[in-house]
Amino acid sequence: MKPAAFAVLSFLTAIHGGAPQRFRTDAEAVRVDVLVKDGSRPVAGLTAADFELRDRGVVQRIEAVTFEDVPLSVMVALDTSDSLAGRPLEDLRGAAIAAVQLLRPDDRAALLTFNHRLWRRSPWTADRAPLERALGGVEAAGGTGLHDAAYAALTLKDETPGRALVLLFSDGHDTASWLPGSHVIETARRSEAVVYAVSLRTAAGRAPGYRLDFRSGVQPPVPANAKSLLSEDFLSALASQTGGELLAVTESESLRRTFVHIVNEFRTRYLLTYTPSGVDAGGWHPIDVRLRARRGTVTARRGYMK
């Protein structure tokens, strides 16, 4: 059976026309995925007393802190545009297979590839075999619909949800999307997924093509004060808004090590649970997570929509 290829416009219209994305909560409780590092090393052994969490500026009582015992739901979204032909695509396949092989029996994953079209190579599954078979059939061709693919990766959720990780890879600028990057960033802010983006920038680089950052099908002049909407910054913004990270590599041989690092690091993240108190229930909730009296750098999403 051939993998499903999405007709981009109809697929995005179906998703985009639905209900607005909301950060999922269990009853009134909110879960926040948090990474704590001292230099390059994750910090282990923290408890609720080590964290200070503010919701709309109001300090909250953290009810639970979990570490590695929550299954993962990993969406792997890979750029397979024509610039990946040859050795880079082989290295990309190997990197994705290595990441899949790190998943535990209760973890689940799905595979999405994209060029100027979106391909759902494997639905959500706990079985590694179809994921690996699908990766073996990937070919490099076409342009780069990065914004559309990122939107699909964020919205094609696992029906048996765990800790949501989007592992998104691209080697170039967006040249084919219907959606502007600013809309996808806003969707990410409302999603519960953590995005780890991997960018391959070779020394030779590539032609920027048409950048569709503001509205569909148009390459408008970019004002100086709108630099954050440029496609060069898209992956960085996507990662920072969700509490993830952008990892840039210059050689495709580094992709395997990078993908493995992402899965291993994601398992070291803390999951903080709290019930918002002293704040209005609806709308956008900016959150701020810090350490009380411990050394370390905290990375968490910027907020959630409820």
Side-chain angles (χ1 to χ4, degrees):
M1 174 181 258
K2 292 183 179 180
F6 302 133
V8 175
L9 180 58
S10 60
F11 170 67
L12 293 174
T13 300
I15 294 180
H16 183 45
Q21 295 295 308
R22 291 291 186 270
F23 189 85
R24 188 176 65 238
T25 63
D26 299 321
E28 294 300 320
V30 174
R31 303 190 310 173
V32 183
D33 219 300
V34 175
L35 175 66
V36 183
K37 298 175 77 171
D38 184 358
S40 61
R41 291 186 174 186
V43 177
L46 300 180
T47 67
D50 294 309
F51 292 97
E52 178 181 278
L53 188 152
R54 294 176 181 266
D55 186 317
R56 288 183 169 172
V58 179
V59 175
Q60 303 294 313
R61 183 177 70 86
I62 299 173
E63 299 160 359
V65 175
T66 53
F67 195 55
E68 289 190 345
D69 56 346
V70 180
L72 307 185
S73 292
V74 183
M75 169 61 78
V76 181
L78 306 177
D79 180 352
T80 58
S81 53
D82 57 8
S83 57
L84 271 296
R87 177 62 184 272
L89 183 62
E90 294 178 12
D91 290 336
L92 179 60
R93 284 198 196 102
I97 289 173
V100 166
Q101 290 175 342
L102 287 174
L103 300 181
R104 297 172 181 173
D106 55 350
D107 296 333
R108 289 164 59 84
L111 177 63
L112 174 73
T113 66
F114 62 97
N115 44 36
H116 56 283
R117 303 177 71 185
L118 304 178
W119 300 82
R120 185 162 48 193
R121 300 287 178 174
S122 173
W124 289 103
T125 179
D127 187 353
R128 310 297 172 255
L131 293 163
E132 295 183 16
R133 285 196 300 269
L135 285 163
V138 170
E139 298 180 355
T144 305
L146 176 58
H147 301 163
D148 292 349
Y151 186 85
L154 289 163
T155 52
L156 291 173
K157 296 182 179 181
D158 189 359
E159 293 181 358
T160 308
R163 302 177 70 170
L165 166 64
V166 173
L167 199 170
L168 174 62
F169 164 81
S170 182
D171 79 327
H173 307 305
D174 192 294
T175 64
S177 286
W178 286 90
L179 291 176
S182 56
H183 174 76
V184 183
I185 298 302
E186 182 61 24
T187 300
R189 295 174 75 227
R190 297 165 180 254
S191 168
E192 67 177 353
V194 177
V195 178
Y196 275 74
V198 180
S199 172
L200 174 62
R201 294 288 189 264
T202 62
R206 62 180 295 182
Y210 293 95
R211 300 177 186 173
L212 311 181
D213 294 289
F214 289 87
R215 54 189 182 273
S216 302
V218 178
Q219 184 187 9
V222 180
N225 61 356
K227 186 176 185 298
S228 63
L229 294 178
L230 286 171
S231 56
E232 290 90 342
D233 294 323
F234 173 73
L235 291 178
S236 177
L238 196 64
S240 65
Q241 289 292 334
T242 61
E245 186 177 0
L246 170 61
L247 302 170
V249 299
T250 57
E251 301 291 340
S252 62
E253 291 87 346
S254 301
L255 290 174
R256 181 187 182 96
R257 181 174 65 252
T258 303
F259 280 30
V260 167
H261 164 77
I262 288 171
V263 176
N264 286 334
E265 180 174 279
F266 194 71
R267 291 198 188 279
T268 71
R269 298 174 69 104
Y270 294 88
L271 194 62
L272 311 185
T273 303
Y274 72 99
T275 301
S277 176
V279 295
D280 293 338
W284 173 250
H285 287 242
I287 56 177
D288 180 34
V289 184
R290 302 181 182 184
L291 294 179
R292 291 184 182 274
R294 295 288 297 266
R295 178 179 175 180
T297 302
V298 176
T299 303
R301 69 181 311 107
R302 302 284 182 85
Y304 67 95
M305 181 68 74
K306 190 173 181 181

